[in-house]
Amino acid sequence: MYAIIATGGKQYKVAEGDVIKVEKLGVEAGEQVTFDQVLAVNNGELSIGCPTVEGATVSATVVANGKAKKVIVYKYKRKSGYHKKNGHRQLFTQVKIDKINA
């Protein structure tokens, strides 16, 4: 059984017991979170929502919050002496999928 959920502008295929990293949710570690934007559920037969599946939710537990690896952003224009170096670390929340309610 799996589901496709949408959170943080991205879509994730999840099954029970999966641990995934999603965009920062602002929830402390150990708390429960419920995803209600379920786009599709497969429990023997596939049911696709328009845009979401009615009454379907995914329950998860927050494992940790953190920052991803640093990405270097380097801007450069030739012949003008312009260059600029910048770094970015994206915040994430790591969640463990407990139950798919469909």
Side-chain angles (χ1 to χ4, degrees):
M1 178 177 199
Y2 69 88
I4 298 175
I5 61 170
T7 180
K10 298 183 177 107
Q11 298 176 4
Y12 301 92
K13 179 182 175 184
V14 297
E16 292 182 6
D18 286 354
V19 178
I20 61 171
K21 290 181 181 179
V22 298
E23 296 294 319
K24 184 179 178 190
L25 298 174
V27 181
E28 295 297 321
E31 292 185 26
Q32 292 284 339
V33 65
T34 302
F35 300 107
D36 56 352
Q37 284 189 327
V38 180
L39 305 177
V41 176
N42 187 353
N43 53 0
E45 69 177 63
L46 181 65
S47 59
I48 299 174
C50 183
T52 59
V53 178
E54 291 288 328
T57 59
V58 174
S59 302
T61 305
V62 175
V63 177
N65 291 307
K67 289 184 176 182
K69 291 180 71 172
K70 183 175 276 192
V71 176
I72 302 298
V73 180
Y74 191 76
K75 298 179 181 180
Y76 173 78
K77 294 195 186 286
R78 63 188 183 132
K79 299 181 184 175
S80 65
Y82 172 80
H83 59 92
K84 189 173 196 177
K85 184 177 179 182
N86 197 355
H88 176 73
R89 292 184 69 186
Q90 184 67 35
L91 300 174
F92 69 86
T93 300
Q94 191 172 18
V95 296
K96 182 177 189 298
I97 305 300
D98 295 330
K99 183 134 178 75
I100 298 173
N101 307 313

